């Protein structure tokens, strides 16, 4: 028979204002096995914890129930408290009477009744608890960063700086990511390449950093501290160890019609190419879809011209197996597809462009060598109209419901740069709101308006249409309640951003949860912004939510510090609340292994009985170090052979019984 | 009948050659319809039978039989072969030790339907493919075969063998329309919630918890059934409601969901004639509607849409069927 103590927290007025804690205490005191019950203003405070410790000793308690906030907040706290008083930490149950009770009810009687039920249920579960001990596993002292944009680069540099090995896997032929495509960066207007390329070079030169460019994560196995990752190195058809990046191959390639993705398809590139001058590694890559030699077997010019014999048409995809202790996901973003936005005429007019395309048009290394020429006729545009929130803050279903966060600032930047460089150009900006929180951000925007005379129009654009060679931008000016039509030479759409599509695949391989907009979900919106629910996996950059370069870099460093904290440990304590199979019940049907997201279940043929009665049966075996205790196997198992320590089926059924009990 | 002789001959041939040690088939019982699964050996083929009253699906018996020494030959009707594959997929039977002979089946008959015709003394029932010739009470009557089909054969799912090392087929088997079996489920779906609840309450209340449906079900092969295991916490639950049987049958349906091949044995053996197969068939229809067509046991594969995750899986909000 257990001796249970019940501790009810007021959480100031968070709980006590809606739940009559005295009544709850009285009611729970009468429950079976309960030998002590009391309430206190802040159970998580030092005094509150001391109360628990004292009562554990005084009443010789075998387990405690704390009626307080969500276990996500303080389960760990109270487990430590119990442990300090000599109890097994898994003899602690939390009844969540805050988030699941006081915060969502208004009526005191109702809330009090529910708090009693929740407390009673936790007590019922605790009567079936058994002490659990966590196992230990080692840690592979190396990290993997998926994505080689500014987030991945910063994260890898920080981890390497702490003395740990780190690999970057980047699907494109070079690291650098979206930031390498930008011309200038707000709010200081320094040249993006000037601040990014030194970091790229640092990555290449660091002894601790290994770059896998033009590579993808093929398979992930294992668990925190012990991930086993298969990396697919796509065939470049160029020997990385030989290529010097001289560019002779590019100059001689006869197939020059490939769209240049780095320049947002605004110009073309040869079939063999280096994405941009500062690419890391500075190694050519052949586009197999475009290469004449690879498609028809005839040509081979680049091979003939290559001075170091780096071209290898027979190269195949290669697979590399690596082990890691931690993984950072930094897969970045892309501008959304604009097919749903016919009203802006993006598909029909060459001179309706996205902001990222404008970046390339203004960049000295871009298709126009930095001279702002409009795509249709290479003329200087005299009137440029920007449209903000294209696809952002859009609840119509065409776009994204969220604010892409970076567009107000980069549009102000574009407007200002154009007015600076071409003072005779007229610049209009249509906006819903201008959002500029951030250090020196609002000052930046005001400069665009006040100093550079950019015409900001509060209102949405209804349509963009072509009339006699002019792009007519028809919108409303909400401040003076008029309809405006602005004949423009160039229209720039501040296009919403969304997570790079590769993130879905990565998320399923790493079992990271993903929200309705494909952003990865952090473990806690406020207190665990770079962790995620899968232990040992961290998030950095836009894959987690829209953010600009400064924020991305901060988050990348935060993720790095979490990785370093993990890799610094020699042993990791596991979670003892894992699945286990009762081999006497198991029929070996294999369903549990199929639903296990972690690959924790294997099967073995086991002999039962002796002599003439011996039978061999196939039974499931759980690797407790890999199991994360999700419980998917326990609900799939038809025989009831699979069960979870700490959350056994009988405990859950008992909880349900006590919730339903009248 | 010709097929009966061919089948017996096949059994004798395999036993005589020593290719198999035992044969799993059907044995004639006391009455014309009472044929039940039995093991035959070289020395004992007494009572061997294959006719229109050999409805029992033999696959499940292999769970134990394939554990024994030596090889075994089993006769499977087309629908039984799906259960066989499903059991191989679940590692419940050892394919290596089994020879599968697929048998022609024109649909098995339901003796209850024959008795319901009002005969007092039935002397003989003969199979004439389209018609059944019944000699009873001193007269001979011809009844259309489809009117006498066993409940499991009324909506035959397939006449194709999912697996067979050899087949014995004399007369052509007409492949049924693959979706017709779901029309009866659609009828249930059209009911209002109250009507449906009433329907099932009426049906399931007849249940006497004899466990025949579970015992015969080829998907129910657990070493220890949760209903027999007090530790599972379910055994008592299934009895704790005034409309007690619903829990038993609903839990059972969930346990076989995605693995049930729709062999219909549950309904065939139910002494209260509860259409239990309709619960399972509803699940099959939902799986087809939500995850694309899936037939458990069509191939040997651990794939089952309910335990497999694919990126193409529909989101809960896209689920069809209520």
């Amino acid at each position: 028979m257990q001796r249970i103590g019940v501790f009810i927290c007021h959480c100031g007025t968070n709980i006590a204002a809606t739940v009559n804690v005295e009544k709850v205490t009285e009611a729970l005191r009468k429950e079976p096995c309960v030998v002590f019950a009391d309430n206190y203003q802040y159970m998580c405070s030092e005094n509150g914890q001391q109360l628990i410790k004292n009562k554990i000793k005084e009443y010789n308690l075998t387990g405690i129930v704390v009626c307080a906030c969500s276990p996500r907040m303080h389960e760990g706290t109270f487990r430590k408290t119990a442990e300090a008083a000599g109890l097994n930490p898994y003899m602690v149950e939390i009844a969540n009477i805050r988030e699941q009770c006081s915060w969502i009810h208004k009526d005191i009687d109702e809330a009090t009744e529910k708090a009693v039920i929740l407390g009673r249920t936790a007590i019922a579960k605790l009567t079936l608890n058994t002490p659990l001990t966590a196992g230990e596993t080692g840690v592979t002292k190396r990290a993997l960063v998926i994505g080689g944009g500014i987030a991945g680069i910063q994260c890898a540099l920080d981890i390497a700086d702490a003395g740990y090995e780190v690999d970057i896997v980047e699907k494109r032929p070079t690291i650098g990511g979206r930031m390498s495509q930008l011309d200038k960066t707000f709010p200081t207007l320094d040249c993006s390449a000037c601040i990014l390329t030194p970091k790229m070079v640092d990555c290449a030169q660091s002894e601790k950093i290994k770059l896998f460019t033009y590579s993808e994560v093929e398979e992930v196995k294992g668990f925190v501290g012990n991930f086993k990752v298969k990396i697919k190195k796509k065939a470049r058809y160029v020997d990385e160890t030989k290529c010097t990046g001289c560019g002779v191959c590019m100059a001689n390639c006869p197939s020059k019609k490939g769209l240049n993705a780095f320049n947002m398809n605004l110009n073309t590139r040869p079939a063999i190419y280096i994405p941009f001058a500062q690419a890391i590694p500075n190694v050519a890559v052949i586009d197999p879809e475009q290469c004449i030699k690879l498609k028809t077997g005839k040509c081979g010019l680049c091979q003939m011209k290559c001075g170091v014999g780096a071209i290898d048409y027979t190269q195949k995809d290669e697979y590399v197996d690596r082990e890691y202790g931690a993984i950072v996901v930094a897969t970045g973003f892309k501008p959304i597809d604009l097919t749903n936005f016919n009203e802006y005429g993006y598909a029909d007019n060459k001179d309706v462009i996205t902001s990222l395309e404008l970046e390339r048009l203004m960049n000295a290394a871009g298709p126009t060598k930095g001279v702002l020429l409009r795509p249709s006729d290479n003329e200087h545009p005299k009137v440029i109209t920007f449209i903000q929130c294209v696809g952002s803050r859009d609840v119509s279903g065409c776009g994204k419901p969220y604010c892409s966060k970076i567009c107000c600032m980069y549009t102000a930047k574009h407007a200002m740069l154009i007015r600076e460089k071409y003072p005779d150009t007229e610049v209009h900006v249509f906006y819903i709101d201008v959002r500029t929180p951030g250090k020196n951000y609002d000052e930046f925007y005001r400069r665009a308006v006040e100093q550079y005379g950019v015409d900001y129009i509060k209102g949405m654009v209804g349509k963009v249409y072509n009339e006699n060679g002019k792009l007519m931008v028809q919108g409303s000016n909400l401040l003076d309640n008029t309809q405006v039509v602005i004949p423009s030479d160039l229209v720039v759409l501040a296009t919403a951003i969304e997570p790079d599509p590769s993130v879905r695949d990565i998320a399923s391989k790493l079992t990271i949860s993903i929200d309705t907009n494909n952003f990865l979900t952090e473990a806690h919106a406020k207190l665990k912004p770079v962790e995620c629910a899968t232990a040992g996996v961290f998030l950095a950059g836009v894959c987690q939510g829209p953010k600009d370069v400064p924020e991305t870099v901060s988050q990348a460093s935060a993720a790095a510090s979490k990785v370093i904290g993990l890799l610094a440990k020699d042993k990791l304590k596991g979670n003892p609340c894992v699945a286990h199979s009762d081999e006497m019940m198991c029929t070996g049907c294999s369903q549990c292994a199929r639903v296990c997201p972690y690959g924790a279940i294997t099967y073995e043929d086991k002999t039962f009985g002796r002599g003439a009665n011996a039978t061999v049966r196939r039974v499931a075996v759980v690797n407790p170090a890999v199991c994360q205790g999700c419980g998917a196997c326990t609900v799939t198992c038809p025989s009831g052979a699979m069960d979870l320590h700490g959350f056994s089926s009988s405990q859950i059924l008992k909880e349900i019984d006590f919730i339903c009990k009248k | 009948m010709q097929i009966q002789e061919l089948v017996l001959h096949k059994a004798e041939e395999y036993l005589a050659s020593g290719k198999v040690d035992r044969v799993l088939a059907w044995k004639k019982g006391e009455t014309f319809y009472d044929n039940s699964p039995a093991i035959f050996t070289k020395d004992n083929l007494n009572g061997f039978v294959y006719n229109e009253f050999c409805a029992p699906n033999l696959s499940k018996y292999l769970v134990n039989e394939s554990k024994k020494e030596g090889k075994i030959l089993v006769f499977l009707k087309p629908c039984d072969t799906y259960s066989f594959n499903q059991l191989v997929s679940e590692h419940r039977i050892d394919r290596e030790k089994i020879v599968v002979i697929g048998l022609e089946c024109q649909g098995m008959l339901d003796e209850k339907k024959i008795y319901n015709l009002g005969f007092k003394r039935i002397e003989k029932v003969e199979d004439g493919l389209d018609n059944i010739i019944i000699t009873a009470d001193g007269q001979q009557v011809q009844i259309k075969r489809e009117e006498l089909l066993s409940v499991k054969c009324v909506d035959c799912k397939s006449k194709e063998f999912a697996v067979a090392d050899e087949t014995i087929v004399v007369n052509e088997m007409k492949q049924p329309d693959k979706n017709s079996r779901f029309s009866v489920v659609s009828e249930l779906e059209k009911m209002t919630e109250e009507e449906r609840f009433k329907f099932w309450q009426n049906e399931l209340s007849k249940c006497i918890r004899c466990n025949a449906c579970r015992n015969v079900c080829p998907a129910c092969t657990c070493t220890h059934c949760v209903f027999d295991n007090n530790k599972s916490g379910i055994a008592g639950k299934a009895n704790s409601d005034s409309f007690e049987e619903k829990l038993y049958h609903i839990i059972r349906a969930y346990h076989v969901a995605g693995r049930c091949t729709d062999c219909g044995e549950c309904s065939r053996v139910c002494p209260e004639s509860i259409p239990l197969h309709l619960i399972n068939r509803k699940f099959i229809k939902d799986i087809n509607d939500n995850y694309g067509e899936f037939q458990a046991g069509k191939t040997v594969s651990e794939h089952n849409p309910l335990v497999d995750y694919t990126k193409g899986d529909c989101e809960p909000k896209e689920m069809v069927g209520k």
Side-chain angles (χ1 to χ4, degrees), chain B residues 207-232:
Chain B
C207 174
I208 55 171
R209 275 305 294 278
C210 67
N211 286 337
C213 51
R214 177 196 72 182
N215 293 353
V216 79
C217 176
C220 273
T221 63
C222 285
T223 314
H224 295 288
C225 175
V226 289
F227 293 114
D228 298 339
N229 175 13
N230 289 329
K231 243 172 68 186
S232 74

Side-chain angles (χ1 to χ4, degrees), chain A residues 505 585 587 591 594 638-639, chain B residues 222-223 229 255 302 308 311:
Chain A
D505 182 51
M585 309 260 290
T587 51
Q591 295 202 87
R594 289 198 79 81
S639 329
Chain B
C222 285
T223 314
N229 175 13
H255 280 200
E302 286 175 3
D308 277 345
K311 280 179 221 147

Side-chain angles (χ1 to χ4, degrees), chain A residues 504-505 508 582 584-591 594-595 615-618 636 638-640 650 653 657, chain B residues 67 89-92 221-224 226 229 231-233 237 255 259 302-304 307-309 311 315:
Chain A
R504 276 192 83 85
D505 182 51
S508 74
D582 180 344
M584 294 312 287
M585 309 260 290
C586 177
T587 51
C589 72
S590 284
Q591 295 202 87
R594 289 198 79 81
V595 296
T615 50
V616 178
R617 281 207 347 250
R618 178 185 149 91
T636 304
S639 329
S650 53
L653 283 168
D657 282 348
Chain B
K67 283 204 181 90
S89 305
E90 293 175 13
H91 309 273
R92 302 298 286 140
T221 63
C222 285
T223 314
H224 295 288
V226 289
N229 175 13
K231 243 172 68 186
S232 74
K237 289 268 179 302
H255 280 200
R259 302 158 55 230
E302 286 175 3
H303 168 69
N304 158 1
V307 296
D308 277 345
Y309 166 75
K311 280 179 221 147
E315 300 292 334

Side-chain angles (χ1 to χ4, degrees), chain B residues 102-142:
Chain B
L103 295 186
E104 172 192 329
C105 172
Q106 300 293 351
M108 294 291 142
L109 304 188
D110 185 348
E111 74 281 1
K112 278 177 266 177
K113 286 187 180 168
I114 296 175
Y115 277 110
N116 283 347
L117 294 170
F119 299 117
K120 289 197 175 64
R121 215 176 72 83
I122 298 168
E123 282 153 37
K124 204 160 74 176
V125 178
E126 287 169 278
D127 194 348
L129 281 181
D130 289 337
N131 291 310
I132 304 298
I133 305 139
I134 302 168
T135 315
D137 301 341
Q139 53 173 328
Q140 213 177 47
V141 192
Q142 283 205 18

Side-chain angles (χ1 to χ4, degrees), chain A residues 278-525:
Chain A
Q278 304 97 322
I280 299 281
N282 189 18
V283 172
V285 57
I286 295 180
D287 179 350
E289 299 295 311
Q290 193 193 338
C291 172
I292 300 166
K293 173 75 178 178
L294 287 172
K295 278 169 76 182
T296 67
K298 291 178 195 130
C299 183
L301 261 176
C302 53
Q303 195 172 43
M304 274 186 272
K305 297 285 180 182
C306 179
V308 291
I311 313 292
D312 176 7
Y313 301 117
T314 63
Q315 219 177 59
K316 295 266 180 308
D317 292 349
E318 225 181 284
Y319 293 90
V320 184
D321 292 310
R322 300 279 282 176
E323 293 184 2
Y324 303 102
I327 298 178
V328 179
V329 182
T331 46
F333 72 96
K334 75 171 199 34
I336 62 163
D337 183 33
L338 289 175
T339 40
N340 282 341
F341 296 90
N342 273 338
E343 64 267 35
Y344 300 126
Y346 175 75
D348 307 325
N349 298 292
K350 273 188 155 180
D351 296 333
V352 178
I353 61 173
T354 67
S355 300
L356 198 50
E357 288 164 7
L358 181 70
E359 291 282 350
R360 297 313 304 152
L361 287 178
M362 290 172 62
N363 189 286
T368 54
K369 309 261 182 290
V371 184
L372 182 57
L373 302 172
R374 60 183 207 168
S376 66
D377 52 8
N378 280 332
E379 289 291 324
H380 274 290
K382 294 291 176 206
V383 181
I384 302 178
T385 303
F386 288 85
I387 304 171
Q388 291 206 160
C389 289
V390 174
S392 296
R393 305 172 68 192
D394 180 347
V395 288
S396 71
C398 291
K400 304 289 178 185
Y402 52 84
C403 167
S404 294
K405 203 171 183 180
I406 56 176
C407 324
C408 287
M409 284 299 285
Y410 70 59
T411 300
K413 173 188 77 175
H414 290 154
M416 213 183 313
L417 288 171
I418 290 169
R419 291 281 296 158
E420 166 83 31
K421 220 167 165 185
Y422 310 102
D424 59 334
T425 310
E426 204 180 303
V427 177
H428 308 275
V429 178
F430 280 94
Y431 68 98
I432 307 178
D433 298 295
V434 174
R435 299 178 160 185
T436 52
K439 192 175 169 186
N440 292 329
Y441 281 17
D442 202 56
E443 296 89 320
F444 183 83
Y445 153 65
R446 286 214 314 270
R447 238 163 71 213
V449 180
E450 291 160 11
Q451 207 174 320
Y452 286 90
V454 177
D455 173 34
Y456 269 77
I457 307 164
K458 185 174 175 70
M460 293 287 283
V461 169
K463 63 174 170 180
V464 177
Y465 56 97
N466 199 323
E467 197 174 278
N468 303 327
K470 281 277 180 191
L471 291 166
M472 310 302 278
V473 181
Q474 183 184 329
S476 48
N477 183 338
L478 293 179
L479 294 184
D480 52 12
N481 201 18
T482 52
Q483 282 286 316
V484 285
V485 178
I486 300 177
S488 314
D489 301 317
L490 186 70
V491 175
V492 183
L493 307 178
T495 311
I497 57 172
E498 64 180 350
D500 191 272
S502 62
V503 80
R504 276 192 83 85
D505 182 51
I506 296 285
S508 74
K509 281 174 181 148
L510 291 167
T511 61
I512 310 172
S513 60
I514 203 162
D515 70 17
T516 49
N517 296 309
N518 282 351
F519 288 112
L520 300 178
T521 312
E522 63 281 359
H524 189 286

Side-chain angles (χ1 to χ4, degrees), chain A residues 7-16 39-52 66-69 74 77-78 98:
Chain A
F7 300 87
I8 297 131
C9 180
H10 301 193
C11 195
T13 54
N14 271 306
I15 292 170
N39 55 70
Y40 188 72
Q41 198 175 14
Y42 287 106
M43 209 52 90
C44 62
S45 69
E46 197 150 329
N47 288 345
Q49 292 189 53
Q50 197 54 50
L51 171 78
I52 294 175
V66 185
C67 302
C69 53
H74 280 306
T77 312
F78 294 120
R98 196 179 74 174

